[in-house]
Amino acid sequence: MTANIEAAISALSHLDIDTKPASLKARSRDFFWYSPVLKDRLDHVMADFAVSPKSEAEVIEVLKVCYAHDVPVTARGTGTGNYGQAMPLAGGCVLHLNQMNAIKDISPGRLVVEPGALLKDIDAATKAHSGQELRMFSSTWATATIGGFIAGGSGGVGSVHWGALRDVGNIIRLRVVTMEEEPQIIEITGEDLHRVSHAYGTNGIITELEIPLAAAYDWEELFVTFDDFEEALRYSYDLASCDGLLLKLVTLFEPPIAHDYFQRVKPHVTPEKTVLALMVAPQSMPGFETHLAHWSGEVIYRKGHTDWPRDPGLIFEYGWNHTTLRALKVDPSITYLQVGIGTEDPVGRALRLREEFSPEVLLHIEVTRQNGKVGFGSLSLVKFTTEERLDEIVRIHEAMGAPNFNPHRYTLEEGGRQSVDARQLEFKRQADPKGLLNPGKMIAWDDPDWTYDRMYAWPGMTKAAE
Ligand code: FAD
């Protein structure tokens, strides 16, 4: 199967199409460079052209033409993913959904929206319309799209209350266009949502989403410090377990993360301090203060009340993967892991991980609801030395019962639980029979017998120039 790029470009020339090398290069990349492993493998990846459809009808037209000419198609929101999810490994077409950004309907508890709408624009519109907001968002709220979040993300700010994106109820409906000779439009609900959510656009292009909303608040933003790391861990678990308090963010940074990497926080903490970043609903502040009085933690910053010479900005832009970004800016040798710590004795497990790895690996705990229970995940910061050592660190975590959602891999399976998602694979057989959607990202499609004993290297990847 050889792609006829020229024929596809010619057939789509009446659309908003881009073939300029400089902008194509930018549209072919995401935040893959967070990983030295992916930086090494994917740096050269480049599409042949990009097209920005303005409507679902144009999406259908692009998919039909690319199907006819065997051209791979990789969907793109704004390319803030971290694992090369939006990178066109085989070249071909980047389907850039930035112009499909209409907010179509807002009603009590729900929103209908096109995939290219930015998370921050959605929140502004729903707040102005009826005092509502997204239940959860990636910390790239200011720059990421809702389609990219659903197809490539997992959860974020709000997950301490609402759980992960994959949890039942956090997506209501997706409308998807298939990659066939005659593309179909499929409305997906219920169990079937698992087919396309977090599938990296490998088995359909999302053209409309229906998402639940929550009441919007002017969230209180705080930094709290502790002298004792274990007490801070216990506090964060206990705080998130208070059913009467409404929280949007509970993030904990092992020392010296806040001191060493958060430049505007640094003047206010010593290297020994454990720091928490919190978002608390205003009506929960009295309860929050009552609860904190039982602990030795100290509020060092409360937005609107504390006058720091340099404003720290949005508090959630210290959490989730923004922690890694801040650390990378100070020390380019930092990379990260995504570690499942779970809900069974998370404090004890976190302490054991710290004992094993600190300071080579520093815990950055995100407290989340996991199947109705409070649990920990860690986007741990890693001082990178070699790929072999990084793999060894992952293996030791797993031997300690802390699974890794490996951010140094570009396939769905290796970034997940290293197992085939039969629902995603089955839907790909139906929706993308030629395997043209985001090729190289689903191992089960390419090599069902893969044993996960080493990093998967997709044979179809366009080779880097020697
Ligand atoms: P892109 O990166 O453009 O795309 C993501 C994936 O979705 C790609 O595989 C793409 O092909 C696919 N896709 C995009 N649009 C469609 C569509 N319409 N149909 C089908 N497939 C589509 N992630 C989190 O989950 N939580 C976080 O808190 C978080 N924090 C981050 C912080 C930083 C600093 C960075 C760099 C990344 C972070 N991420 C986080 C990862 C990423 O930013 C989010 O997942 C984000 O929501 C992705 O949106 P995007 O528009 O950039 O998607």
Side-chain angles (χ1 to χ4, degrees):
M1 197 164 66
T2 309
N4 190 340
I5 302 289
E6 292 312 317
I9 291 176
S10 162
L12 296 171
S13 59
H14 58 292
L15 300 184
D16 186 350
I17 200 161
D18 179 8
T19 52
K20 293 187 289 300
S23 51
L24 257 189
K25 187 170 180 195
R27 289 176 185 221
S28 301
R29 298 164 84 80
D30 60 15
F31 280 67
F32 73 110
W33 50 265
Y34 267 38
S35 159
V37 178
L38 296 183
K39 171 95 176 130
D40 184 50
R41 309 294 198 283
L42 305 184
D43 206 30
H44 67 283
V45 164
M46 177 103 164
D48 294 289
F49 66 98
V51 58
S52 301
K54 295 186 178 67
S55 64
E56 184 181 79
E58 288 190 3
V59 170
I60 291 171
E61 191 179 350
V62 174
L63 296 187
K64 198 171 165 162
V65 165
C66 287
Y67 183 93
H69 296 293
D70 298 324
V71 174
V73 174
T74 301
R76 178 180 184 85
T78 43
T80 66
N82 295 111
Y83 331 122
Q85 289 123 300
M87 294 178 68
L89 303 190
C93 170
V94 161
L95 187 67
H96 198 177
L97 290 141
N98 55 335
Q99 295 195 57
M100 283 183 66
N101 57 10
I103 294 172
K104 292 178 152 180
D105 187 46
I106 303 166
S107 56
R110 63 176 77 203
L111 156 85
V112 179
V113 65
E114 285 187 335
L118 297 184
L119 300 170
K120 84 164 174 5
D121 291 343
I122 292 173
D123 268 355
T126 52
K127 207 168 176 179
H129 176 274
S130 44
Q132 303 189 83
E133 64 183 23
L134 289 166
R135 286 180 172 180
M136 71 186 78
F137 53 78
S138 57
S139 62
T140 43
W141 174 82
T143 50
T145 65
I146 186 80
F149 184 44
I150 300 298
S154 53
V157 185
S159 289
V160 65
H161 185 81
W162 293 102
L165 270 177
R166 66 170 175 274
D167 290 344
V168 68
N170 282 333
I171 305 169
I172 300 170
R173 177 179 60 85
L174 298 175
R175 186 174 163 100
V176 170
V177 177
T178 65
M179 180 65 164
E180 299 173 85
E181 188 174 357
E182 290 299 331
Q184 311 290 309
I185 298 169
I186 303 181
E187 299 274 356
I188 296 182
T189 55
E191 290 291 343
D192 292 345
L193 288 166
H194 292 291
R195 292 169 159 189
V196 283
S197 66
H198 202 80
Y200 296 180
T202 54
N203 55 15
I205 302 300
I206 301 167
T207 52
E208 187 180 279
L209 308 91
E210 192 168 342
I211 302 289
L213 296 173
Y217 296 104
D218 290 327
W219 295 90
E220 298 274 359
E221 303 185 21
L222 305 109
F223 284 120
V224 175
T225 60
F226 282 82
D227 288 326
D228 183 60
F229 181 72
E230 181 173 345
E231 190 197 355
L233 277 178
R234 292 193 187 290
Y235 168 77
S236 60
Y237 181 82
D238 206 70
L239 175 69
S241 305
C242 290
D243 291 331
L245 297 182
L246 186 55
L247 308 165
K248 191 131 181 167
L249 183 75
V250 178
T251 305
L252 178 149
F253 309 104
E254 180 180 341
I257 293 177
H259 178 271
D260 285 6
Y261 303 132
F262 300 166
Q263 310 218 353
R264 295 188 177 196
V265 180
K266 187 184 180 99
H268 310 283
V269 295
T270 60
E272 296 74 30
K273 293 277 186 189
T274 300
V275 175
L276 272 73
L278 305 174
M279 286 171 72
V280 181
Q283 71 275 23
S284 290
M285 272 312 283
F288 167 79
E289 283 164 350
T290 305
H291 178 258
L292 182 62
H294 296 275
W295 302 79
S296 72
E298 183 195 352
V299 176
I300 59 160
Y301 173 81
R302 181 175 169 192
K303 197 181 211 53
H305 293 75
T306 314
D307 195 15
W308 281 3
R310 295 180 76 205
D311 186 283
L314 293 166
I315 214 103
F316 65 76
E317 289 186 352
Y318 289 81
W320 291 87
N321 230 340
H322 271 77
T323 313
T324 319
L325 184 59
R326 287 179 189 276
L328 265 169
K329 281 185 179 164
V330 175
D331 178 353
S333 75
I334 296 287
T335 188
Y336 77 118
L337 291 175
Q338 300 180 141
V339 182
I341 295 179
T343 58
E344 296 303 320
D345 186 24
V347 171
R349 281 165 171 256
L351 288 172
R352 285 192 286 282
L353 288 172
R354 186 187 195 209
E355 199 178 315
E356 174 73 28
F357 291 114
S358 189
E360 184 183 16
V361 181
L362 295 175
L363 289 164
H364 150 207
I365 303 279
E366 292 295 343
V367 186
T368 59
R369 293 263 158 199
Q370 301 176 15
N371 300 315
K373 293 183 182 165
V374 172
F376 289 173
S378 180
L379 283 80
S380 301
L381 299 182
V382 181
K383 185 96 184 154
F384 180 75
T385 47
T386 64
E387 213 177 299
E388 292 68 34
R389 175 59 186 157
L390 190 62
D391 287 345
E392 187 179 41
I393 292 171
V394 170
R395 278 197 302 276
I396 300 171
H397 272 87
E398 295 192 335
M400 293 174 73
N404 267 258
F405 306 92
N406 196 336
H408 305 282
R409 302 289 185 264
Y410 55 78
T411 60
L412 281 159
E413 290 92 336
E414 292 167 300
R417 293 184 182 276
Q418 309 217 331
S419 60
V420 175
D421 187 322
R423 293 168 299 197
Q424 291 185 347
L425 176 61
E426 184 200 317
F427 190 56
K428 188 168 174 72
R429 289 198 180 110
Q430 173 193 337
D432 180 26
K434 285 190 181 177
L436 291 168
L437 288 178
N438 208 352
K441 306 287 170 58
M442 191 189 281
I443 300 178
W445 175 265
D446 299 310
D447 186 352
D449 300 323
W450 184 256
T451 52
Y452 303 100
D453 55 343
R454 61 194 183 285
M455 182 176 179
Y456 183 67
W458 186 52
M461 190 171 333
T462 310
K463 293 280 176 288
E466 296 303 328

